[in-house]
Amino acid sequence: MNQYAVAQLPAMHVVHDGPRQAPPLLLIHGSGASGGTWSPMVPALAGRHHVLRVDLPGCGQSPPAVSYGVLDQAVQVAAHLDHVGLGPVIVVGHSSGGYVATALAEQRPDLVGSIALVSTGPSLDALLPQPLVLRVLLGPPFGPLLWARRSDAMIRKGIGATAARPVEVPDDLVAELRGTSYRTFRTVLRRNTEYLAERSVPERLAALGVPVLAVFGANDPRWDPSSVHQYDAVPGAQVVQLPGVGHLPMLEAPEATSELLLDFAAAGGARVEPVATERSPRAVDEV
């Protein structure tokens, strides 16, 4: 029988599902979202795993943080894993949550057994122009004004703008998204950009030697779908494209995405030999 509990630390809210004795699976959401992003997948995943869904600092039910740097967010995730005595875990990141997952492995390799990235943009040159509705909602001059006045319908429209098919957005996810302030969201975007500008995700992962799964929707409007093959540079990485799916595989294709994660977790996998890479500076733009 699944167990359910909520752990509250000063800096981060975490929901636990599934049997505590099962292999741990950590789910990290993308920019400005919450752990509720993963809700459609939890029943399948919690049948085999102890599932942890974090609300990163300043998102969902987690309080604001002093810093929203990718490395600083990874420190908070590591603190929770240390607190509950878990590791190594399978870490799954959606979109920019994949940056936090990668940073966690960079700082605390003892806590990370393998990494699955879902719609995680590999480098700045893979970023596509944002849909119009997101440019209006997120950018000046209207963004700050509209953010505080968003209706549930507007939030759902904003989420759906990055999907390739109509999606059902759970009510609890809509409510949790209201917990993120406009200032926090914009700051998180800037910090994500800085992380990518310093070094691409495939370069970082190739230097770690951790088993990697990279999943992209073949119709992702946020990142060039073909850019998933940048992860081919990571030794031993599995690269998968989901046909007819956009940026939100958890909502658009929860069954297929869950199956990929469960198969990846079941296969395990030994760490591979890291590859020496050189850092190359990149122009900074917002993600």
Side-chain angles (χ1 to χ4, degrees):
M1 178 179 293
N2 287 355
Q3 298 177 357
Y4 175 92
V6 176
Q8 181 76 54
L9 292 180
M12 195 167 62
H13 177 87
V14 184
V15 176
H16 296 252
D17 293 278
R20 294 300 184 97
Q21 70 273 18
L25 184 69
L26 173 67
L27 305 177
I28 305 177
H29 63 79
S31 301
S34 72
T37 304
W38 303 97
S39 293
M41 294 173 54
V42 169
L45 298 178
R48 301 187 200 175
H49 290 274
H50 171 190
V51 178
L52 298 86
R53 288 178 288 158
V54 304
D55 284 352
L56 291 173
C59 297
Q61 299 183 55
S62 289
V66 174
S67 169
Y68 293 100
V70 173
L71 298 181
D72 294 322
Q73 293 187 71
V75 166
Q76 297 294 340
V77 174
H80 182 80
L81 293 175
D82 286 337
H83 177 76
V84 297
L86 290 177
V89 301
I90 302 161
V91 187
V92 185
H94 172 245
S95 194
S96 63
Y99 308 149
V100 178
T102 302
L104 178 63
E106 289 177 310
Q107 297 181 91
R108 293 289 305 275
D110 58 305
L111 293 178
V112 179
S114 57
I115 295 178
L117 305 176
V118 180
S119 305
T120 296
S123 60
L124 290 177
D125 57 13
L127 184 64
L128 298 175
Q130 289 189 111
L132 177 61
V133 64
L134 293 184
R135 293 202 301 271
V136 172
L137 276 175
L138 304 180
F142 302 111
L145 298 174
L146 291 175
W147 191 269
R149 295 169 172 79
R150 293 172 299 163
S151 65
D152 288 358
M154 289 175 65
I155 291 175
R156 286 189 162 88
K157 186 174 183 179
I159 295 172
T162 61
R165 61 181 73 177
V167 293
E168 182 176 343
V169 182
D171 291 340
D172 58 346
L173 176 57
V174 173
E176 289 172 359
L177 291 180
R178 293 191 178 281
T180 304
S181 71
Y182 180 80
R183 181 177 181 180
T184 293
F185 184 72
R186 295 289 295 185
T187 302
V188 168
L189 293 182
R190 288 194 293 271
R191 300 299 174 260
N192 291 339
T193 298
E194 292 167 2
Y195 185 76
L196 271 188
E198 180 183 290
R199 202 177 190 192
S200 74
V201 181
E203 287 179 294
R204 293 173 182 274
L205 292 172
L208 295 176
V210 63
V212 171
L213 168 68
V215 179
F216 247 62
N219 300 97
D220 192 325
R222 190 83 174 96
W223 299 91
D224 179 359
S226 67
S227 71
V228 69
H229 290 292
Q230 292 186 29
Y231 289 105
D232 289 332
V234 182
Q238 301 178 45
V239 175
V240 179
Q241 279 192 322
L242 295 172
V245 174
H247 190 62
L248 304 171
M250 316 85 60
L251 300 180
E252 298 176 74
E255 296 84 2
T257 308
S258 296
E259 184 176 349
L260 286 171
L261 295 183
L262 290 172
D263 288 347
F264 176 65
R271 298 180 75 90
V272 295
E273 189 66 25
V275 174
T277 58
E278 296 183 359
R279 293 172 180 249
S280 56
R282 309 290 287 277
V284 176
D285 195 7
E286 281 200 346
V287 175

